[in-house]
PDB file of all heavy atoms in Angstrom:
ATOM      1  N   PHE A   1      77.813  24.152 -18.889  1.00  0.00           N
ATOM      2  CA  PHE A   1      76.352  24.289 -18.921  1.00  0.00           C
ATOM      3  C   PHE A   1      75.669  23.094 -18.264  1.00  0.00           C
ATOM      4  O   PHE A   1      74.630  23.249 -17.613  1.00  0.00           O
ATOM      5  CB  PHE A   1      75.841  24.495 -20.348  1.00  0.00           C
ATOM      6  CG  PHE A   1      75.849  25.928 -20.766  1.00  0.00           C
ATOM      7  CD1 PHE A   1      76.775  26.393 -21.683  1.00  0.00           C
ATOM      8  CD2 PHE A   1      74.942  26.830 -20.237  1.00  0.00           C
ATOM      9  CE1 PHE A   1      76.795  27.731 -22.064  1.00  0.00           C
ATOM     10  CE2 PHE A   1      74.948  28.174 -20.605  1.00  0.00           C
ATOM     11  CZ  PHE A   1      75.883  28.619 -21.527  1.00  0.00           C
ATOM     12  N   GLN A   2      76.251  21.894 -18.411  1.00  0.00           N
ATOM     13  CA  GLN A   2      75.662  20.729 -17.753  1.00  0.00           C
ATOM     14  C   GLN A   2      75.716  20.892 -16.243  1.00  0.00           C
ATOM     15  O   GLN A   2      74.768  20.536 -15.540  1.00  0.00           O
ATOM     16  CB  GLN A   2      76.373  19.445 -18.183  1.00  0.00           C
ATOM     17  CG  GLN A   2      75.664  18.185 -17.718  1.00  0.00           C
ATOM     18  CD  GLN A   2      74.240  18.085 -18.254  1.00  0.00           C
ATOM     19  OE1 GLN A   2      74.018  18.173 -19.455  1.00  0.00           O
ATOM     20  NE2 GLN A   2      73.264  17.912 -17.356  1.00  0.00           N
ATOM     21  N   GLU A   3      76.819  21.440 -15.760  1.00  0.00           N
ATOM     22  CA  GLU A   3      76.920  21.718 -14.325  1.00  0.00           C
ATOM     23  C   GLU A   3      75.823  22.701 -13.897  1.00  0.00           C
ATOM     24  O   GLU A   3      75.193  22.521 -12.849  1.00  0.00           O
ATOM     25  CB  GLU A   3      78.307  22.286 -14.002  1.00  0.00           C
ATOM     26  CG  GLU A   3      78.552  22.529 -12.535  1.00  0.00           C
ATOM     27  CD  GLU A   3      79.932  23.089 -12.227  1.00  0.00           C
ATOM     28  OE1 GLU A   3      80.870  22.947 -13.048  1.00  0.00           O
ATOM     29  OE2 GLU A   3      80.081  23.694 -11.139  1.00  0.00           O
ATOM     30  N   ALA A   4      75.582  23.726 -14.720  1.00  0.00           N
ATOM     31  CA  ALA A   4      74.530  24.706 -14.405  1.00  0.00           C
ATOM     32  C   ALA A   4      73.153  24.042 -14.422  1.00  0.00           C
ATOM     33  O   ALA A   4      72.304  24.341 -13.562  1.00  0.00           O
ATOM     34  CB  ALA A   4      74.587  25.870 -15.401  1.00  0.00           C
ATOM     35  N   ILE A   5      72.930  23.135 -15.373  1.00  0.00           N
ATOM     36  CA  ILE A   5      71.650  22.419 -15.436  1.00  0.00           C
ATOM     37  C   ILE A   5      71.495  21.521 -14.216  1.00  0.00           C
ATOM     38  O   ILE A   5      70.450  21.508 -13.554  1.00  0.00           O
ATOM     39  CB  ILE A   5      71.560  21.605 -16.751  1.00  0.00           C
ATOM     40  CG1 ILE A   5      71.414  22.546 -17.951  1.00  0.00           C
ATOM     41  CG2 ILE A   5      70.398  20.616 -16.700  1.00  0.00           C
ATOM     42  CD1 ILE A   5      71.587  21.877 -19.307  1.00  0.00           C
ATOM     43  N   ASP A   6      72.547  20.760 -13.912  1.00  0.00           N
ATOM     44  CA  ASP A   6      72.507  19.847 -12.757  1.00  0.00           C
ATOM     45  C   ASP A   6      72.277  20.589 -11.446  1.00  0.00           C
ATOM     46  O   ASP A   6      71.614  20.063 -10.543  1.00  0.00           O
ATOM     47  CB  ASP A   6      73.802  19.034 -12.662  1.00  0.00           C
ATOM     48  CG  ASP A   6      73.968  18.052 -13.814  1.00  0.00           C
ATOM     49  OD1 ASP A   6      72.980  17.786 -14.540  1.00  0.00           O
ATOM     50  OD2 ASP A   6      75.109  17.567 -14.011  1.00  0.00           O
ATOM     51  N   ASN A   7      72.798  21.798 -11.349  1.00  0.00           N
ATOM     52  CA  ASN A   7      72.623  22.607 -10.132  1.00  0.00           C
ATOM     53  C   ASN A   7      71.298  23.366 -10.109  1.00  0.00           C
ATOM     54  O   ASN A   7      71.022  24.092  -9.154  1.00  0.00           O
ATOM     55  CB  ASN A   7      73.762  23.624  -9.998  1.00  0.00           C
ATOM     56  CG  ASN A   7      75.104  22.991  -9.748  1.00  0.00           C
ATOM     57  OD1 ASN A   7      75.197  21.808  -9.439  1.00  0.00           O
ATOM     58  ND2 ASN A   7      76.165  23.764  -9.893  1.00  0.00           N
ATOM     59  N   GLY A   8      70.511  23.243 -11.186  1.00  0.00           N
ATOM     60  CA  GLY A   8      69.239  23.953 -11.251  1.00  0.00           C
ATOM     61  C   GLY A   8      69.400  25.444 -11.460  1.00  0.00           C
ATOM     62  O   GLY A   8      68.532  26.229 -11.081  1.00  0.00           O
ATOM     63  N   GLU A   9      70.511  25.841 -12.069  1.00  0.00           N
ATOM     64  CA  GLU A   9      70.783  27.269 -12.262  1.00  0.00           C
ATOM     65  C   GLU A   9      70.194  27.831 -13.552  1.00  0.00           C
ATOM     66  O   GLU A   9      69.995  29.043 -13.659  1.00  0.00           O
ATOM     67  CB  GLU A   9      72.296  27.519 -12.266  1.00  0.00           C
ATOM     68  CG  GLU A   9      72.971  27.209 -10.947  1.00  0.00           C
ATOM     69  CD  GLU A   9      74.475  27.402 -11.027  1.00  0.00           C
ATOM     70  OE1 GLU A   9      74.926  28.414 -11.600  1.00  0.00           O
ATOM     71  OE2 GLU A   9      75.206  26.532 -10.519  1.00  0.00           O
ATOM     72  N   VAL A  10      69.971  26.991 -14.549  1.00  0.00           N
ATOM     73  CA  VAL A  10      69.443  27.460 -15.838  1.00  0.00           C
ATOM     74  C   VAL A  10      68.260  26.590 -16.262  1.00  0.00           C
ATOM     75  O   VAL A  10      68.125  25.444 -15.821  1.00  0.00           O
ATOM     76  CB  VAL A  10      70.523  27.441 -16.950  1.00  0.00           C
ATOM     77  CG1 VAL A  10      71.649  28.408 -16.649  1.00  0.00           C
ATOM     78  CG2 VAL A  10      71.052  26.048 -17.199  1.00  0.00           C
ATOM     79  N   ILE A  11      67.423  27.158 -17.107  1.00  0.00           N
ATOM     80  CA  ILE A  11      66.279  26.409 -17.619  1.00  0.00           C
ATOM     81  C   ILE A  11      66.782  25.220 -18.445  1.00  0.00           C
ATOM     82  O   ILE A  11      67.880  25.252 -18.994  1.00  0.00           O
ATOM     83  CB  ILE A  11      65.356  27.304 -18.484  1.00  0.00           C
ATOM     84  CG1 ILE A  11      66.125  27.914 -19.664  1.00  0.00           C
ATOM     85  CG2 ILE A  11      64.688  28.379 -17.656  1.00  0.00           C
ATOM     86  CD1 ILE A  11      65.258  28.661 -20.643  1.00  0.00           C
ATOM     87  N   THR A  12      65.963  24.208 -18.521  1.00  0.00           N
ATOM     88  CA  THR A  12      66.409  22.977 -19.175  1.00  0.00           C
ATOM     89  C   THR A  12      65.656  22.680 -20.470  1.00  0.00           C
ATOM     90  O   THR A  12      65.510  21.536 -20.861  1.00  0.00           O
ATOM     91  CB  THR A  12      66.279  21.787 -18.207  1.00  0.00           C
ATOM     92  OG1 THR A  12      64.918  21.704 -17.754  1.00  0.00           O
ATOM     93  CG2 THR A  12      67.219  21.920 -17.042  1.00  0.00           C
ATOM     94  N   ARG A  13      65.197  23.703 -21.134  1.00  0.00           N
ATOM     95  CA  ARG A  13      64.544  23.494 -22.426  1.00  0.00           C
ATOM     96  C   ARG A  13      65.553  23.117 -23.507  1.00  0.00           C
ATOM     97  O   ARG A  13      65.197  22.600 -24.550  1.00  0.00           O
ATOM     98  CB  ARG A  13      63.803  24.760 -22.858  1.00  0.00           C
ATOM     99  CG  ARG A  13      62.563  25.011 -22.084  1.00  0.00           C
ATOM    100  CD  ARG A  13      61.745  26.129 -22.716  1.00  0.00           C
ATOM    101  NE  ARG A  13      60.931  26.703 -21.660  1.00  0.00           N
ATOM    102  CZ  ARG A  13      61.009  27.959 -21.255  1.00  0.00           C
ATOM    103  NH1 ARG A  13      61.833  28.781 -21.829  1.00  0.00           N
ATOM    104  NH2 ARG A  13      60.241  28.381 -20.290  1.00  0.00           N
ATOM    105  N   PHE A  14      66.806  23.427 -23.244  1.00  0.00           N
ATOM    106  CA  PHE A  14      67.870  23.150 -24.199  1.00  0.00           C
ATOM    107  C   PHE A  14      68.899  22.232 -23.566  1.00  0.00           C
ATOM    108  O   PHE A  14      69.096  22.243 -22.359  1.00  0.00           O
ATOM    109  CB  PHE A  14      68.556  24.455 -24.635  1.00  0.00           C
ATOM    110  CG  PHE A  14      67.619  25.458 -25.220  1.00  0.00           C
ATOM    111  CD1 PHE A  14      67.140  26.510 -24.453  1.00  0.00           C
ATOM    112  CD2 PHE A  14      67.202  25.346 -26.538  1.00  0.00           C
ATOM    113  CE1 PHE A  14      66.266  27.442 -24.988  1.00  0.00           C
ATOM    114  CE2 PHE A  14      66.321  26.275 -27.073  1.00  0.00           C
ATOM    115  CZ  PHE A  14      65.846  27.321 -26.306  1.00  0.00           C
ATOM    116  N   SER A  15      69.592  21.473 -24.397  1.00  0.00           N
ATOM    117  CA  SER A  15      70.663  20.622 -23.881  1.00  0.00           C
ATOM    118  C   SER A  15      71.887  21.480 -23.581  1.00  0.00           C
ATOM    119  O   SER A  15      72.005  22.617 -24.059  1.00  0.00           O
ATOM    120  CB  SER A  15      71.025  19.540 -24.906  1.00  0.00           C
ATOM    121  OG  SER A  15      71.696  20.125 -26.007  1.00  0.00           O
ATOM    122  N   SER A  16      72.792  20.930 -22.813  1.00  0.00           N
ATOM    123  CA  SER A  16      74.025  21.657 -22.505  1.00  0.00           C
ATOM    124  C   SER A  16      74.820  21.936 -23.784  1.00  0.00           C
ATOM    125  O   SER A  16      75.453  22.987 -23.912  1.00  0.00           O
ATOM    126  CB  SER A  16      74.866  20.873 -21.498  1.00  0.00           C
ATOM    127  OG  SER A  16      75.210  19.607 -22.017  1.00  0.00           O
ATOM    128  N   GLU A  17      74.748  21.013 -24.744  1.00  0.00           N
ATOM    129  CA  GLU A  17      75.449  21.204 -26.021  1.00  0.00           C
ATOM    130  C   GLU A  17      74.842  22.366 -26.807  1.00  0.00           C
ATOM    131  O   GLU A  17      75.563  23.181 -27.377  1.00  0.00           O
ATOM    132  CB  GLU A  17      75.404  19.928 -26.877  1.00  0.00           C
ATOM    133  CG  GLU A  17      76.235  18.792 -26.344  1.00  0.00           C
ATOM    134  CD  GLU A  17      75.530  17.984 -25.233  1.00  0.00           C
ATOM    135  OE1 GLU A  17      74.312  18.189 -24.987  1.00  0.00           O
ATOM    136  OE2 GLU A  17      76.219  17.180 -24.592  1.00  0.00           O
ATOM    137  N   GLN A  18      73.502  22.448 -26.817  1.00  0.00           N
ATOM    138  CA  GLN A  18      72.843  23.549 -27.521  1.00  0.00           C
ATOM    139  C   GLN A  18      73.176  24.890 -26.885  1.00  0.00           C
ATOM    140  O   GLN A  18      73.419  25.876 -27.589  1.00  0.00           O
ATOM    141  CB  GLN A  18      71.321  23.337 -27.527  1.00  0.00           C
ATOM    142  CG  GLN A  18      70.866  22.195 -28.408  1.00  0.00           C
ATOM    143  CD  GLN A  18      69.391  21.885 -28.224  1.00  0.00           C
ATOM    144  OE1 GLN A  18      68.883  21.874 -27.097  1.00  0.00           O
ATOM    145  NE2 GLN A  18      68.706  21.630 -29.327  1.00  0.00           N
ATOM    146  N   LEU A  19      73.214  24.933 -25.572  1.00  0.00           N
ATOM    147  CA  LEU A  19      73.552  26.175 -24.873  1.00  0.00           C
ATOM    148  C   LEU A  19      74.998  26.579 -25.166  1.00  0.00           C
ATOM    149  O   LEU A  19      75.285  27.747 -25.438  1.00  0.00           O
ATOM    150  CB  LEU A  19      73.322  26.016 -23.371  1.00  0.00           C
ATOM    151  CG  LEU A  19      71.861  25.841 -22.946  1.00  0.00           C
ATOM    152  CD1 LEU A  19      71.772  25.427 -21.483  1.00  0.00           C
ATOM    153  CD2 LEU A  19      71.051  27.096 -23.208  1.00  0.00           C
ATOM    154  N   GLY A  20      75.899  25.607 -25.139  1.00  0.00           N
ATOM    155  CA  GLY A  20      77.302  25.887 -25.460  1.00  0.00           C
ATOM    156  C   GLY A  20      77.478  26.377 -26.879  1.00  0.00           C
ATOM    157  O   GLY A  20      78.235  27.314 -27.152  1.00  0.00           O
ATOM    158  N   ASP A  21      76.757  25.730 -27.820  1.00  0.00           N
ATOM    159  CA  ASP A  21      76.840  26.150 -29.221  1.00  0.00           C
ATOM    160  C   ASP A  21      76.319  27.570 -29.410  1.00  0.00           C
ATOM    161  O   ASP A  21      76.835  28.328 -30.239  1.00  0.00           O
ATOM    162  CB  ASP A  21      76.057  25.189 -30.131  1.00  0.00           C
ATOM    163  CG  ASP A  21      76.766  23.862 -30.340  1.00  0.00           C
ATOM    164  OD1 ASP A  21      77.965  23.754 -29.996  1.00  0.00           O
ATOM    165  OD2 ASP A  21      76.120  22.922 -30.855  1.00  0.00           O
ATOM    166  N   THR A  22      75.300  27.940 -28.637  1.00  0.00           N
ATOM    167  CA  THR A  22      74.763  29.303 -28.716  1.00  0.00           C
ATOM    168  C   THR A  22      75.831  30.314 -28.320  1.00  0.00           C
ATOM    169  O   THR A  22      76.023  31.333 -28.997  1.00  0.00           O
ATOM    170  CB  THR A  22      73.514  29.445 -27.823  1.00  0.00           C
ATOM    171  OG1 THR A  22      72.531  28.503 -28.267  1.00  0.00           O
ATOM    172  CG2 THR A  22      72.946  30.853 -27.880  1.00  0.00           C
ATOM    173  N   VAL A  23      76.553  30.025 -27.251  1.00  0.00           N
ATOM    174  CA  VAL A  23      77.620  30.929 -26.806  1.00  0.00           C
ATOM    175  C   VAL A  23      78.734  30.974 -27.851  1.00  0.00           C
ATOM    176  O   VAL A  23      79.250  32.050 -28.174  1.00  0.00           O
ATOM    177  CB  VAL A  23      78.155  30.521 -25.422  1.00  0.00           C
ATOM    178  CG1 VAL A  23      79.402  31.305 -25.064  1.00  0.00           C
ATOM    179  CG2 VAL A  23      77.083  30.741 -24.365  1.00  0.00           C
ATOM    180  N   GLN A  24      79.104  29.812 -28.398  1.00  0.00           N
ATOM    181  CA  GLN A  24      80.130  29.783 -29.455  1.00  0.00           C
ATOM    182  C   GLN A  24      79.697  30.636 -30.644  1.00  0.00           C
ATOM    183  O   GLN A  24      80.503  31.345 -31.237  1.00  0.00           O
ATOM    184  CB  GLN A  24      80.390  28.349 -29.923  1.00  0.00           C
ATOM    185  CG  GLN A  24      81.165  27.512 -28.942  1.00  0.00           C
ATOM    186  CD  GLN A  24      82.643  27.824 -28.970  1.00  0.00           C
ATOM    187  OE1 GLN A  24      83.068  28.924 -28.624  1.00  0.00           O
ATOM    188  NE2 GLN A  24      83.427  26.860 -29.366  1.00  0.00           N
ATOM    189  N   GLY A  25      78.412  30.572 -30.961  1.00  0.00           N
ATOM    190  CA  GLY A  25      77.880  31.398 -32.055  1.00  0.00           C
ATOM    191  C   GLY A  25      78.010  32.880 -31.760  1.00  0.00           C
ATOM    192  O   GLY A  25      78.362  33.682 -32.633  1.00  0.00           O
ATOM    193  N   MET A  26      77.738  33.259 -30.514  1.00  0.00           N
ATOM    194  CA  MET A  26      77.881  34.666 -30.124  1.00  0.00           C
ATOM    195  C   MET A  26      79.327  35.122 -30.297  1.00  0.00           C
ATOM    196  O   MET A  26      79.584  36.230 -30.784  1.00  0.00           O
ATOM    197  CB  MET A  26      77.444  34.872 -28.667  1.00  0.00           C
ATOM    198  CG  MET A  26      75.969  34.772 -28.429  1.00  0.00           C
ATOM    199  SD  MET A  26      75.632  35.098 -26.667  1.00  0.00           S
ATOM    200  CE  MET A  26      74.134  34.177 -26.451  1.00  0.00           C
ATOM    201  N   ILE A  27      80.250  34.285 -29.879  1.00  0.00           N
ATOM    202  CA  ILE A  27      81.666  34.632 -30.002  1.00  0.00           C
ATOM    203  C   ILE A  27      82.039  34.817 -31.473  1.00  0.00           C
ATOM    204  O   ILE A  27      82.720  35.782 -31.834  1.00  0.00           O
ATOM    205  CB  ILE A  27      82.557  33.557 -29.341  1.00  0.00           C
ATOM    206  CG1 ILE A  27      82.308  33.529 -27.832  1.00  0.00           C
ATOM    207  CG2 ILE A  27      84.033  33.813 -29.633  1.00  0.00           C
ATOM    208  CD1 ILE A  27      82.922  32.339 -27.120  1.00  0.00           C
ATOM    209  N   MET A  28      81.554  33.923 -32.335  1.00  0.00           N
ATOM    210  CA  MET A  28      81.842  34.030 -33.772  1.00  0.00           C
ATOM    211  C   MET A  28      81.256  35.322 -34.353  1.00  0.00           C
ATOM    212  O   MET A  28      81.923  36.026 -35.106  1.00  0.00           O
ATOM    213  CB  MET A  28      81.269  32.819 -34.525  1.00  0.00           C
ATOM    214  CG  MET A  28      81.927  31.503 -34.206  1.00  0.00           C
ATOM    215  SD  MET A  28      83.529  31.308 -34.985  1.00  0.00           S
ATOM    216  CE  MET A  28      83.057  31.022 -36.660  1.00  0.00           C
TER     217      MET A  28
END
């Protein structure tokens, strides 16, 4: 997600950790 943020691919209202945790939550 940090790579996506650095490349300007995703909005930056959330940190890369928050975005990753969201995906982990979906998997759970």
Side-chain angles (χ1 to χ4, degrees):
F1 274 108
Q2 190 60 54
E3 184 180 339
I5 290 169
D6 293 345
N7 293 347
E9 295 177 44
V10 296
I11 58 173
T12 56
R13 287 190 205 118
F14 303 99
S15 71
S16 60
E17 290 82 10
Q18 290 171 318
L19 293 169
D21 286 347
T22 301
V23 171
Q24 287 282 65
M26 288 182 207
I27 295 169
M28 293 284 286

